[in-house]
Amino acid sequence: MGETLVEIMRTEVDTPLSETALFRGPFPSGSSAIMISTVARMGHSCGIISGVGKDGFGECILNRLKKDGVDVSKVLVDSDGSTACAFVAYDHNGDRRFLFHWDETPATKAVAPDMDTPTLKEAKFFHVMGCALTAKLSYGWEIVKTAKAMAAQGTKISFDPNVRVEHLTNPQKSKESFEIIHSILELTNVFAPGIDELKLLTGIDDVEAAIKKCFENPNLEILFLKNGSEGSKIYTRDGLVVEQGLYKVESVDPTGAGDTSIGAFLCALLEERSLKECAEIAAAAGALNVAAFGPMEGKISPENVQAMRNGTYRC
């Protein structure tokens, strides 16, 4: 359950959003949409609870998710609102600047669903992205409500905090945002923060101490620590640590790499692979995604992921 939006990107690096210049897009996007598209393309049954406008951008998103195999039956199509969008500018060092238009769009209007729906009862994982929690607080609480209902029926909760500083500029809103985030953290079984997010949410600057703090949560089973160019480290409650580097590809667009990785990681967990295999599959999917322009345009498939792991994939 999370956000669906279109992304419209600068065609050249170091062109700020304040200047008149060219954009490219729209591309179907949203961290939740990128993640669930990956799950579908990796061959698993999945769906998303979200919202779009009854417009061309909404069609762009829905057509792509349907093509990938995502169940979109619980996506609100709202004729009274426009589909959410994000404008993105890139720096030469790979950093990005976002301008979001989504807090009063259908992307934040979906409500907690009827839990008697068979597809929800059968769900093995319920995934949450932090940016979906904080764009509009009422929607964040709807996601919390849904997560609690899913956890109560035995569904595992996975959480990528994916904190967007653009959503935390208002002090009062920021306070409630963290209340929402911590409500999800209490339910979380698989946690996938970046290092800065780990420090922010624990209030601890030492990484190993912060990880230890996370495992004070009795529900937490796995912590998937994303570390940018250094790859990832995966920690388990029983003390197992798996380190994983990156697969070398020419990075065309970094957007969506983490969302893709956690989607592929959860698929590998569902397939009961070893933690090392899960880490490799996550890294390979992330590499495939950054090798294409567009947040979910990487050539993700089980075959391509395996080829990337074997060193036989050619972009």
Side-chain angles (χ1 to χ4, degrees):
M1 184 174 184
E3 87 286 9
T4 45
L5 53 85
V6 294
E7 206 161 300
I8 302 165
M9 296 93 92
R10 284 297 196 195
T11 59
E12 302 291 337
V13 299
D14 295 326
T15 307
L17 294 171
S18 57
E19 294 182 4
T20 300
L22 295 177
F23 286 95
R24 183 179 176 185
F27 288 90
S29 187
S31 60
S32 305
I34 298 166
M35 178 271 175
I36 207 65
S37 165
T38 300
V39 173
R41 286 182 282 163
M42 289 297 290
H44 286 263
S45 173
C46 61
I48 187 168
I49 305 164
S50 189
V52 298
K54 193 173 184 180
D55 52 33
F57 284 174
E59 288 181 26
C60 173
I61 295 165
L62 291 178
N63 289 344
R64 172 56 191 276
L65 292 177
K66 290 175 184 177
K67 177 184 174 183
D68 290 342
V70 178
D71 180 349
V72 296
S73 61
K74 296 197 179 304
V75 176
L76 168 70
V77 179
D78 185 3
S79 59
D80 294 325
S82 298
T83 301
C85 59
F87 295 87
V88 188
Y90 301 86
D91 298 338
H92 65 274
N93 59 5
D95 290 337
R96 294 159 293 163
R97 298 291 181 270
F98 293 89
L99 177 61
F100 291 104
H101 291 281
W102 70 344
D103 58 338
E104 294 297 334
T105 72
T108 59
K109 289 184 180 179
V111 296
D114 179 2
M115 294 305 298
D116 286 333
T117 306
T119 51
L120 292 178
K121 285 187 171 297
E122 296 165 3
K124 304 299 183 185
F125 278 101
F126 178 74
H127 187 69
V128 177
M129 288 288 189
C131 53
L133 296 174
T134 57
K136 187 175 182 182
L137 301 183
S138 59
Y139 185 50
W141 287 119
E142 287 295 323
I143 296 174
V144 171
K145 180 180 177 181
T146 307
K148 287 181 176 179
M150 296 294 277
Q153 70 175 18
T155 300
K156 300 286 187 183
I157 308 299
S158 56
F159 180 39
D160 180 343
N162 198 16
V163 176
R164 295 290 187 212
V165 295
E166 294 90 346
H167 295 163
L168 301 176
T169 54
N170 179 298
Q172 182 58 41
K173 183 178 178 182
S174 179
K175 180 177 182 293
E176 189 173 349
S177 293
F178 280 103
E179 291 175 4
I180 292 170
I181 289 169
H182 284 289
S183 295
I184 291 292
L185 273 173
E186 291 173 358
L187 304 170
T188 297
N189 306 109
V190 178
F191 185 37
I195 287 182
D196 289 342
E197 294 163 340
L198 176 72
K199 293 177 180 180
L200 176 67
L201 296 180
T202 61
I204 299 173
D205 198 52
D206 180 79
V207 171
E208 294 301 322
I211 290 166
K212 184 177 180 180
K213 175 71 174 177
C214 288
F215 278 105
E216 291 179 7
N217 172 10
N219 291 316
L220 186 61
E221 300 170 8
I222 296 173
L223 192 149
F224 180 108
L225 184 63
K226 296 174 289 185
N227 193 17
S229 62
E230 300 300 314
S232 63
K233 266 189 176 183
I234 300 168
Y235 299 78
T236 67
R237 174 166 291 282
D238 59 9
L240 180 63
V241 180
V242 172
E243 295 190 48
Q244 177 63 44
L246 300 180
Y247 291 93
K248 300 300 182 184
V249 296
E250 180 183 357
S251 180
V252 176
D253 184 355
T255 303
D259 311 325
T260 300
S261 294
I262 187 62
F265 182 77
L266 294 178
C267 289
L269 285 179
L270 286 170
E271 293 163 10
E272 299 183 344
R273 295 175 180 263
S274 72
L275 209 56
K276 179 60 177 172
E277 287 181 295
C278 292
E280 290 176 357
I281 288 167
L288 287 166
N289 207 61
V290 303
F293 189 84
M296 48 198 283
E297 301 308 312
K299 296 179 180 179
I300 309 295
S301 70
E303 296 76 19
N304 286 345
V305 165
Q306 186 59 43
M308 182 66 72
R309 293 173 66 202
N310 292 341
T312 59
Y313 182 78
R314 297 293 178 265
C315 297

